[in-house]
Amino acid sequence: MAEITFRGHCFWYDECGEGDALVALHPGLVDARAYGPNMEAWSERFRVYTPERRGHGHTADVDGPLTFMDMADDTIGFIESVIGGPVRLLGCSDGAMVALLAAASRPDLVSRLVVIAGPAHHNGWYRGVIDGSTDAPDFMHTMYGEVSPDGIEHFPTVLAKMAAEHLVAPTMSSNDLAKILCRTLIMVADDDEVQLEHAIEMYRALPVGELAVVPGTSHGLLVEKPELCNRIIIEFLTTDPVETLAPLRRRATPSSSSPVGSE
């Protein structure tokens, strides 16, 4: 692993493979090891960078709150500092939300975008998934304790910060999604923690959106069906779109700036 300092903070990242740059943003409350079932396939086609966000993995926590917008700004800084030009950007769950915010803020730095199991608005989670709870599965505690420079005793603090952030962010509207000009894949499970209706709204709001619903999977779709997910992702990232025979909707026209998935 390597480290880089910008925005007054030291960030850890790993890189492997050869080819065009792919930046993969891990899910929340875990680290880049979450992509274990996917990295071999991805690194056969790309130079894969896996930065670990503030308060996650090998990257230390910061004073004050942990916000998705700060993490998006960190991602922008990482791309500019380490890669120096447009990249393919992928994120899962919390990482997907960070990727959306980064792509909307700096569309010039993202050539293609993959959004996996993450909403554009916090209302897009199913009720009860995000409730302010500071509980977490045992494996999250274990992963944190294995690598965090802050020590396992700090994990409740990170849990509380992220629980608070999930209640209020992100709050992207259809107009915000319209700023993402690159070809974008929205991928969700058919039994995801993200509402399928919300995923469809996201797809329709994106100027160049595509939608994949992975059957027989849950929020852990990348682990549950890695070969299928990898095939969809790699094909999307490496090939041009086909000319469809009977298209009805290739580009949505948002009618308002209302939050995507608001109720």
Side-chain angles (χ1 to χ4, degrees):
M1 296 192 73
E3 62 181 69
I4 185 170
T5 300
F6 56 88
R7 304 189 73 212
H9 197 63
C10 179
F11 295 87
W12 284 80
Y13 69 97
D14 205 354
E15 56 184 302
C16 63
E18 299 295 335
D20 294 332
L22 169 63
V23 175
L25 306 181
H26 58 76
L29 298 174
V30 292
D31 55 70
R33 291 176 294 171
Y35 287 138
N38 316 107
M39 284 299 297
E40 181 177 357
W42 296 352
S43 62
E44 287 177 354
R45 303 298 297 270
F46 304 103
R47 184 68 173 174
V48 185
Y49 297 82
T50 50
E52 294 182 334
R53 298 187 295 278
R54 50 179 68 193
H56 290 71
H58 298 78
T59 300
D61 192 13
V62 296
D63 292 335
L66 290 172
T67 72
F68 292 129
M69 196 64 243
D70 278 342
M71 294 175 182
D73 289 339
D74 293 341
T75 300
I76 291 168
F78 176 82
I79 294 171
E80 291 180 322
S81 301
V82 176
I83 303 163
V87 300
R88 291 162 172 84
L89 181 62
L90 174 153
C92 182
S93 193
D94 282 13
M97 298 186 285
V98 174
L100 280 167
L101 290 165
S105 296
R106 289 293 304 274
D108 59 304
L109 290 179
V110 183
S111 59
R112 291 194 189 182
L113 176 64
V114 181
V115 178
I116 305 167
H121 194 285
H122 61 86
N123 286 340
W125 297 107
Y126 272 106
R127 292 188 182 278
V129 171
I130 302 300
D131 59 3
S133 172
T134 55
D135 292 332
D138 289 342
F139 78 86
M140 289 185 174
H141 290 263
T142 300
M143 290 183 72
Y144 185 90
E146 288 172 344
V147 299
S148 174
D150 297 319
I152 185 62
E153 64 276 3
H154 188 71
F155 191 50
T157 300
V158 172
L159 271 174
K161 290 182 180 184
M162 292 311 303
E165 178 67 1
H166 277 112
L167 291 176
V168 299
T171 56
M172 298 183 76
S173 69
S174 56
N175 282 353
D176 294 323
L177 292 177
K179 298 175 184 176
I180 300 175
L181 304 178
C182 65
R183 190 173 164 213
T184 301
L185 174 65
I186 301 297
M187 176 183 282
V188 291
D190 62 355
D191 187 18
D192 211 308
E193 294 178 359
V194 176
Q195 299 176 42
L196 183 56
E197 295 80 4
H198 178 80
I200 294 170
E201 290 180 10
M202 292 168 62
Y203 152 69
R204 288 175 172 163
L206 289 160
V208 195
E210 299 180 27
L211 176 66
V213 180
V214 181
T217 59
S218 72
H219 197 60
L221 67 167
L222 291 181
V223 176
E224 295 159 354
K225 290 192 176 181
E227 291 184 2
L228 176 57
C229 291
N230 291 341
R231 187 161 65 248
I232 293 171
I233 292 166
I234 291 170
E235 179 177 310
F236 172 79
L237 291 174
T238 58
T239 64
D240 293 329
V242 301
E243 182 177 351
T244 53
L245 298 178
L248 292 177
R249 178 191 293 271
R250 278 293 94 199
R251 184 181 186 281
T253 305
S255 59
S256 73
S257 60
S258 59
V260 176
S262 59
E263 299 175 352

